[in-house]
Amino acid sequence: MGEVFTGNFTQQEPLPDAALAAAEAVLRHGRLHRYNTADGEVAETALLEEEFAASTGAAYCLAVASGGYALGCALRACGVTPGDAVLTNAFTLAPVPGAIAGVGAVPVLVGVTEALVIDMDDLAAKLGQARVLLLSHMRGHICDMDRLMQLCDAAGVTVIEDCAHTMGAAWNGRPTGRWGRMGCFSTQTYKHINSGEGGLLISDDAEAMARAVLLSGSYMMYGRHRAAPPEEAFADLRYEVPNISGRMDNLRAAILRPQLKGLTRQAGRWNDRYRRLAEGLADLPGVSVPVRPAAEQFVASSFQFLLLDQPAEVIAAVVAGCAARGVELKWFGAAEPVGFTSGYASWRYAPQHALPATDRVLAGLLDMRLPLTFSLDDCAVIARIIRDVVTDVLGRTRGAA
Ligand SMILES: *Cc1c(COP(=O)(O)O)cnc(C)c1O
């Protein structure tokens, strides 16, 4: 059967030694709660917020319990209330429409293109239906943000960005998360920096961020933040914004700070792996790899390719053939949700409308994780296996036809 890959698609790298040392220091002093500080001490959480704000250029940053919490918190902070319609990507992961449902709002799904970004024409047609767009930079693919912001600004639609897959990435030099009113990041294990669970919210909008800080459960301690709006921003809000606790703790912040320092280097390593795979699959008949525009400064942590307009049996045979040789592909066109992957038809709490162009893309979309524990040679092996299997399956299909 040829080469077999034996690497593990879900194994991330161990945390750097500096993170271990920082974690030990927090564990030894025991002040894990972000507002539990000794005299003159600045909490690790407050320092992380300050450093993440600086790294993105945002005025304000809030660390929270998860990426999904950051999304829900941003929706509330931007004034979304139960019953509101919120536009979002049909191609994303379940926590995105889930965050909308979590605030009692109604997801309105917008289609995806073959480049795996939001379909601007579909978006333009639906802008009149909602006041907020929760834009997901799904799998790190960034749409033309200049055009998207023009469309949304003209329609008076507030943009909130889901940057769970774009930490460190930018469009035309401006980081993701800095285009919309708020940007939401995840520090969950499968993302770019790893604290098991965790999230970061950035914004330049003092009122929205003051609301977010209060929502996250700051009690009256917001003065201890270093990347929060000034006290005046809280003066009235503190009586009207409910506490919906979802803070980050000092242990997670402590292990994230050294990882944030290493992010640029890690991003380069991820992209080296992405390019090795893309090279390995270049010019393979039947397969297309999304073209990445020059304006898109992406940070790959996964890889996608398309086998468009093939019957489901062919895709299933490719997935099975690759699995038999150790290469784990996720298929967005599967009828049932599997693992972390689900199609929009599985989110039955969201009103369903036909999205035929999106269905065509998802039906041919294969996806894999690209952990940094893979070497460049591993990526070359994976590409050779996919080439072999695709060539074999498509050859047999043609033979049978
Ligand atoms: C992981 C993820 C989230 C949410 O992050 P959690 O930290 O797991 O809550 C949001 N959007 C996308 C696209 C994700 O992959």
Side-chain angles (χ1 to χ4, degrees):
M1 114 165 122
E3 250 174 331
V4 173
F5 182 64
T6 54
N8 181 337
F9 281 79
T10 56
Q11 181 62 57
Q12 305 290 25
E13 290 188 305
L15 299 199
D17 287 344
L20 271 62
E24 187 177 353
V26 172
L27 292 172
R28 286 197 184 279
H29 67 54
R31 292 182 293 278
L32 273 74
H33 191 287
R34 67 169 297 162
Y35 299 123
N36 180 206
T37 47
D39 259 357
E41 182 183 25
V42 180
E44 289 283 342
T45 312
L47 292 169
L48 172 68
E49 289 165 345
E50 186 174 50
E51 290 161 4
F52 194 68
S55 79
T56 56
Y60 311 119
C61 175
L62 173 70
V64 294
S66 73
Y69 183 89
L71 297 175
C73 185
L75 289 166
R76 284 196 173 88
C78 290
V80 174
T81 54
D84 287 356
V86 176
L87 295 157
T88 196
N89 306 59
F91 171 51
T92 185
L93 292 184
V96 181
I100 297 169
V103 302
V106 182
V108 177
L109 302 176
V110 183
V112 68
T113 69
E114 284 178 37
L116 302 186
V117 295
I118 196 163
D119 180 336
M120 295 279 176
D121 297 333
D122 194 30
L123 175 64
K126 289 173 176 163
L127 278 173
Q129 296 182 33
R131 287 183 303 115
V132 173
L133 164 66
L134 178 52
L135 173 70
S136 184
H137 302 296
M138 175 62 172
R139 290 296 187 248
H141 298 272
I142 306 170
C143 69
D144 180 340
M145 288 304 296
D146 296 294
R147 171 133 188 259
L148 180 124
M149 291 309 300
Q150 255 168 20
L151 283 174
C152 291
D153 287 347
V157 167
T158 298
V159 177
I160 297 170
E161 295 175 70
D162 166 26
C163 306
H165 302 163
T166 55
M167 189 179 284
W171 176 267
N172 254 335
R174 186 175 176 86
T176 62
R178 302 272 297 116
W179 292 82
R181 185 172 300 172
M182 302 193 108
C184 308
F185 296 79
S186 169
T187 63
Q188 189 239 73
T189 292
Y190 299 113
K191 315 297 163 98
H192 294 104
I193 57 177
N194 173 11
S195 59
E197 303 285 357
L200 291 158
L201 198 54
I202 58 171
S203 184
D204 287 349
D205 185 312
E207 187 188 330
M209 191 51 99
R211 285 183 187 277
V213 169
L214 290 164
L215 283 163
S216 77
S218 65
Y219 302 97
M220 296 304 140
M221 312 283 213
Y222 42 78
R224 297 205 198 162
H225 288 236
R226 291 164 78 92
E231 299 259 350
E232 312 85 82
F234 295 87
D236 297 327
L237 291 178
R238 62 189 191 152
Y239 301 107
E240 57 183 76
V241 177
N243 176 326
I244 305 178
S245 284
R247 294 171 302 272
M248 185 182 280
D249 59 81
N250 287 331
L251 180 57
R252 292 185 209 184
I255 64 177
L256 287 171
R257 291 180 61 215
Q259 295 181 71
L260 183 58
K261 289 197 180 73
L263 178 62
T264 305
R265 180 175 168 270
Q266 299 293 73
R269 295 177 62 218
W270 257 303
N271 287 354
D272 290 344
R273 283 156 181 75
Y274 183 93
R275 291 199 182 93
R276 185 60 66 97
L277 262 161
E279 281 159 25
L281 294 181
D283 307 319
L284 175 57
V287 165
S288 56
V289 175
V291 176
R292 319 281 323 227
E296 185 197 28
Q297 290 105 41
F298 63 94
V299 179
S301 56
S302 63
F303 185 88
Q304 293 73 40
F305 64 95
L306 292 154
L307 275 162
L308 284 172
D309 305 320
Q310 297 289 346
E313 305 81 67
V314 166
I315 310 284
V318 168
V319 172
C322 286
R325 293 175 60 177
V327 173
E328 246 178 68
L329 299 177
K330 314 270 188 246
W331 179 27
F332 275 89
E336 287 297 318
V338 180
F340 289 92
T341 309
S342 59
Y344 68 88
S346 307
W347 315 328
R348 292 187 192 162
Y349 51 84
Q352 301 281 325
H353 300 284
L355 294 167
T358 293
D359 293 341
R360 172 175 173 259
V361 170
L362 297 183
L365 178 57
L366 295 167
D367 170 51
M368 81 181 101
R369 285 210 176 93
L370 217 48
L372 288 175
T373 48
F374 289 0
S375 66
L376 293 177
D377 284 346
D378 288 340
C379 295
V381 171
I382 293 168
R384 281 201 296 274
I385 291 173
I386 295 173
R387 272 196 103 84
D388 264 15
V389 172
V390 168
T391 307
D392 177 50
V393 170
L394 292 186
R396 267 191 283 133
T397 320
R398 268 194 297 273

